[in-house]
Coordinates of all heavy atoms in Angstrom, one line a residue:
A1111 N 0.8 -1.2 0.0 CA 0.0 0.0 0.0 C 0.9 1.2 0.0 O 2.0 1.2 0.5 CB -0.9 0.0 1.2
P1112 N 0.4 2.3 -0.6 CA 1.2 3.6 -0.6 C 1.4 4.0 0.8 O 0.6 3.8 1.7 CB 0.4 4.6 -1.4 CG -1.0 4.0 -1.5 CD -0.9 2.5 -1.2
A1113 N 2.6 4.6 1.1 CA 2.9 5.1 2.4 C 2.0 6.3 2.8 O 1.6 7.1 2.0 CB 4.4 5.6 2.4
L1114 N 1.6 6.3 4.0 CA 0.9 7.5 4.6 C 1.9 8.5 5.0 O 3.1 8.2 5.3 CB 0.1 7.0 5.8 CG -0.9 5.8 5.6 CD1 -1.4 5.3 6.9 CD2 -2.0 6.3 4.7
T1115 N 1.5 9.8 5.1 CA 2.4 10.8 5.5 C 1.7 11.6 6.6 O 0.6 12.1 6.5 CB 2.8 11.8 4.4 OG1 3.4 11.0 3.3 CG2 3.7 12.8 4.8
A1116 N 2.4 11.8 7.8 CA 1.9 12.6 8.9 C 2.8 13.8 9.0 O 4.0 13.8 8.9 CB 2.0 11.8 10.2
R1117 N 2.1 15.0 9.1 CA 2.9 16.3 9.2 C 2.6 17.0 10.5 O 3.2 18.1 10.7 CB 2.5 17.1 8.0 CG 2.9 16.5 6.7 CD 2.9 17.5 5.6 NE 3.2 16.9 4.3 CZ 4.5 16.7 3.9 NH1 5.5 17.0 4.6 NH2 4.7 16.1 2.7
H1118 N 1.7 16.6 11.3 CA 1.4 17.3 12.6 C 1.3 16.2 13.7 O 1.0 15.1 13.5 CB 0.0 18.0 12.4 CG 0.0 19.0 11.3 ND1 0.6 20.2 11.4 CD2 -0.6 18.9 10.1 CE1 0.4 20.8 10.2 NE2 -0.3 20.1 9.4
Y1119 N 1.5 16.8 14.9 CA 1.4 15.9 16.1 C 0.6 16.6 17.1 O 0.8 17.8 17.4 CB 2.8 15.6 16.6 CG 2.7 14.9 18.0 CD1 2.3 13.6 18.1 CD2 3.1 15.6 19.1 CE1 2.2 13.0 19.3 CE2 3.0 15.0 20.4 CZ 2.6 13.7 20.5 OH 2.5 13.1 21.7
H1120 N -0.3 15.9 17.8 CA -1.1 16.5 19.0 C -0.8 15.6 20.2 O -0.8 14.4 20.1 CB -2.6 16.5 18.7 CG -3.0 17.4 17.6 ND1 -3.0 18.7 17.7 CD2 -3.3 17.1 16.3 CE1 -3.3 19.3 16.5 NE2 -3.5 18.3 15.6
D1121 N -0.5 16.2 21.3 CA -0.1 15.4 22.5 C -1.3 15.0 23.3 O -1.2 14.6 24.5 CB 0.9 16.2 23.3 CG 0.4 17.5 23.9 OD1 -0.8 17.9 23.6 OD2 1.1 18.2 24.6
H1122 N -2.5 15.1 22.7 CA -3.7 14.6 23.4 C -4.5 13.8 22.4 O -4.6 14.2 21.3 CB -4.5 15.8 24.1 CG -4.8 16.8 23.0 ND1 -5.9 16.7 22.3 CD2 -4.2 18.0 22.7 CE1 -6.0 17.8 21.5 NE2 -5.0 18.5 21.7
P1123 N -5.2 12.8 22.9 CA -6.1 12.0 22.0 C -7.3 12.9 21.6 O -7.8 13.7 22.3 CB -6.5 10.8 22.8 CG -6.3 11.2 24.2 CD -5.2 12.3 24.3
H1124 N -7.7 12.6 20.4 CA -8.9 13.2 19.8 C -10.1 12.3 19.9 O -9.9 11.1 20.1 CB -8.7 13.7 18.4 CG -7.8 14.8 18.3 ND1 -7.9 15.8 17.4 CD2 -6.7 15.2 19.1 CE1 -7.0 16.7 17.5 NE2 -6.2 16.4 18.5
K1125 N -11.3 12.7 19.6 CA -12.5 11.9 19.7 C -12.5 10.9 18.5 O -13.0 9.8 18.7 CB -13.7 12.8 19.7 CG -13.8 13.7 20.9 CD -14.2 12.9 22.1 CE -14.4 13.9 23.2 NZ -14.3 13.2 24.5
P1126 N -12.1 11.3 17.3 CA -12.3 10.3 16.2 C -11.5 9.0 16.4 O -10.4 9.1 17.0 CB -11.7 11.0 15.0 CG -11.6 12.5 15.3 CD -11.5 12.5 16.8
E1127 N -12.0 7.9 15.9 CA -11.3 6.7 16.0 C -10.1 6.7 15.1 O -10.2 7.2 14.0 CB -12.2 5.5 15.6 CG -11.7 4.1 15.8 CD -11.5 3.8 17.2 OE1 -12.2 4.3 18.1 OE2 -10.5 3.0 17.5
P1128 N -8.9 6.4 15.6 CA -7.7 6.5 14.8 C -7.8 5.5 13.6 O -8.4 4.4 13.7 CB -6.6 6.1 15.8 CG -7.2 5.3 16.8 CD -8.6 5.8 17.0
V1129 N -7.1 5.9 12.5 CA -7.1 5.0 11.4 C -6.0 4.0 11.5 O -5.8 3.1 10.6 CB -7.0 5.8 10.0 CG1 -8.3 6.6 9.9 CG2 -5.8 6.6 10.0
G1130 N -5.1 4.1 12.5 CA -4.0 3.2 12.7 C -3.3 3.5 14.0 O -3.6 4.5 14.7
K1131 N -2.4 2.6 14.4 CA -1.7 2.7 15.6 C -0.2 2.4 15.4 O 0.1 1.5 14.5 CB -2.2 1.8 16.7 CG -3.7 2.1 17.1 CD -4.2 1.0 18.1 CE -5.7 1.3 18.3 NZ -6.3 0.2 19.1
V1132 N 0.7 3.0 16.1 CA 2.1 2.6 16.1 C 2.6 2.5 17.5 O 2.3 3.4 18.3 CB 2.9 3.7 15.2 CG1 2.8 5.1 15.8 CG2 4.3 3.2 15.0
Q1133 N 3.3 1.5 17.8 CA 3.9 1.2 19.1 C 5.4 1.6 19.0 O 6.1 1.0 18.1 CB 3.7 -0.2 19.5 CG 2.3 -0.6 19.7 CD 2.2 -1.9 20.3 OE1 2.9 -2.3 21.2 NE2 1.2 -2.7 19.8
L1134 N 5.9 2.5 19.8 CA 7.2 2.9 19.8 C 7.8 2.9 21.2 O 7.1 3.3 22.1 CB 7.3 4.4 19.2 CG 6.8 4.6 17.8 CD1 6.7 6.1 17.5 CD2 7.7 3.9 16.8
D1135 N 9.1 2.5 21.3 CA 9.7 2.6 22.6 C 10.1 4.1 22.9 O 9.8 5.0 22.1 CB 10.9 1.7 22.8 CG 12.1 2.1 21.8 OD1 12.1 3.2 21.3 OD2 12.9 1.2 21.6
Y1136 N 10.6 4.4 24.1 CA 10.8 5.7 24.5 C 11.7 6.5 23.6 O 11.4 7.6 23.1 CB 11.5 5.7 25.9 CG 11.9 7.0 26.5 CD1 11.0 8.0 26.8 CD2 13.3 7.3 26.6 CE1 11.4 9.2 27.3 CE2 13.7 8.6 27.1 CZ 12.7 9.5 27.4 OH 13.1 10.7 27.9
E1137 N 12.9 5.9 23.2 CA 13.8 6.6 22.3 C 13.2 6.8 20.9 O 13.4 7.8 20.3 CB 15.1 5.8 22.2 CG 15.9 5.7 23.5 CD 16.3 7.1 24.0 OE1 16.6 8.0 23.2 OE2 16.4 7.2 25.3
S1138 N 12.4 5.8 20.4 CA 11.8 6.0 19.1 C 10.7 7.0 19.1 O 10.3 7.4 18.0 CB 11.2 4.6 18.6 OG 12.3 3.7 18.5

């Protein structure tokens, strides 16, 4: 599938259901 691109970050969850999830350790 074509790569998705994220350009913004919010430090709080929003109401919409996310379209995906990513698990990252502290350094990542």
Side-chain angles (χ1 to χ4, degrees):
L1114 303 169
T1115 302
R1117 297 198 184 275
H1118 303 285
Y1119 170 70
H1120 296 286
D1121 63 359
H1122 55 84
H1124 287 215
K1125 297 288 185 203
E1127 187 64 30
V1129 297
K1131 298 175 186 174
V1132 62
Q1133 295 186 43
L1134 302 168
D1135 66 18
Y1136 175 71
E1137 294 301 326
S1138 298

